[in-house]
């Protein structure tokens, strides 16, 4: 039986499984760094210095106690020095990052777009966990993300190929035949940013006029400007749709569990935008194809 070799096997001469294992290990190490970002960025502390320490007793964490996932399990979720509990968020972020890096390796393949995709996934993980804990999406992450998104939009068509951006197969890119690919890609990025961030901003404005309450933080808008620029308008729409769907589902569950029916749910929407964005990034075109085949005649 002839099986087609993957790009990873062709490039490295190693079986695919090595790529998957390496993706998970690399992801869990990146996740360990994201834990530092999630803990320190909202507190406006340096993410480089000092080295990680126990938040309770301040004892520096030794290298052998800083192995992603494993150290937390071995130490039973407690600090070695003071035995105070260490949040399960630490191994959870490490595991989630490992898992999403594996999915990215699977979906994107061993292509130049993979590192860009991993950066986006890592930024989204830190934003989601910061929003969950502090209800903010810090500018120090969302602004660089926006810059990064437009660099990706400009560099990839110029150096590699435009086929990493699915929106360029559709309107309005199809009207721009004959234009340099980086211009088409840049226009696609701007449109994606407007659909991703601009639509959220419009919804927030409309809601504020109608109900007089602030529904959408500007952090959500800034985050989706950057994400939308990479995703393009199609996948941005899908990301927001998935986020609204997941948010409504979980919001209803929370309200159902709540005794007090006046409950004004304060749900950090950035979590759902993150879930929607990662899903659209990795599975978006498949989901759109499935939706069209299933629901449209
Ligand atoms: Zn301690």
């Amino acid at each position: 039986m002839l099986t087609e070799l993957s790009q990873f096997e062709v490039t490295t001469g190693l079986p695919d499984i090595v790529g998957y294992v390496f993706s998970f290990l690399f992801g869990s190490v990146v996740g360990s760094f994201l834990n530092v970002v999630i803990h320190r960025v909202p507190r406006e502390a340096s993410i480089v210095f000092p080295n990680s320490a126990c938040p309770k007793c301040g004892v520096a964490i030794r290298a052998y106690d800083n192995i992603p996932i494993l150290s937390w399990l071995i130490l039973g979720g407690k600090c070695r020095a003071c035995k105070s509990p260490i949040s399960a968020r630490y191994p959870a972020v490490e595991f989630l990052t490992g898992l999403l890096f594996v999915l990215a390796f699977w979906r994107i393949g061993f292509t130049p777009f993979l590192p860009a995709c991993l950066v986006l996934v890592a930024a989204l993980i830190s934003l989601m966990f910061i929003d969950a804990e502090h209800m903010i999406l810090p500018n120090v992450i969302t602004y660089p993300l926006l810059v990064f998104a437009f660099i990706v939009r400009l560099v990839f068509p110029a150096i590699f190929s435009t086929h990493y951006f699915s929106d360029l197969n559709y309107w309005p890119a199809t009207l721009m035949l004959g234009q340099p690919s980086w211009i088409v890609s840049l226009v696609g990025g701007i449109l994606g940013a407007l659909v991703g961030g601009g639509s959220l901003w419009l919804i927030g404005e409309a809601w504020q006029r109608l109900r007089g309450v602030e529904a959408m933080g500007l952090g959500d808008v800034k985050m989706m400007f950057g994400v939308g620029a990479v995703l393009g308008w199609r996948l941005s729409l899908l990301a927001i749709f998935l986020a609204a769907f997941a948010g409504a589902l979980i919001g209803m569950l929370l309200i159902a569990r709540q005794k007090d029916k006046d409950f004004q749910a304060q749900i950090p929407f950035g979590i759902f935008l993150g879930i929607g964005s990662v899903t659209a990034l990795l599975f978006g075109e498949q989901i759109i194809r499935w939706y069209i085949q299933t629901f449209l005649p």
Side-chain angles (χ1 to χ4, degrees), residues 53-59 78-84 86:
C54 167
K56 269 274 156 51
C57 69
V59 164
K78 293 190 184 79
C79 167
R80 188 187 284 279
C82 71
K83 304 291 177 208
S84 62
I86 294 170

Side-chain angles (χ1 to χ4, degrees), residues 15-46:
D16 259 344
I17 185 72
V18 175
Y20 283 107
V21 170
F22 183 76
S23 297
F24 185 81
L25 294 178
F26 179 57
S28 64
V29 171
V30 170
S32 186
F33 169 70
L34 296 182
N35 275 319
V36 177
V37 171
I38 292 163
H39 182 77
R40 294 189 188 174
V41 164
R43 295 169 175 83
E44 292 180 9
S46 161

Side-chain angles (χ1 to χ4, degrees), residues 28-104:
S28 64
V29 171
V30 170
S32 186
F33 169 70
L34 296 182
N35 275 319
V36 177
V37 171
I38 292 163
H39 182 77
R40 294 189 188 174
V41 164
R43 295 169 175 83
E44 292 180 9
S46 161
I47 55 168
V48 186
F49 298 107
N51 287 329
S52 297
C54 167
K56 269 274 156 51
C57 69
V59 164
I61 293 164
R62 292 150 204 239
Y64 57 78
D65 283 342
N66 214 356
I67 303 161
I69 307 165
L70 286 181
S71 288
W72 190 89
L73 293 174
I74 291 166
L75 293 169
K78 293 190 184 79
C79 167
R80 188 187 284 279
C82 71
K83 304 291 177 208
S84 62
I86 294 170
S87 167
R89 192 195 73 205
Y90 288 87
V93 166
E94 288 155 359
F95 181 79
L96 178 69
T97 314
L99 182 68
L100 290 179
F101 277 28
V102 166
L103 291 178

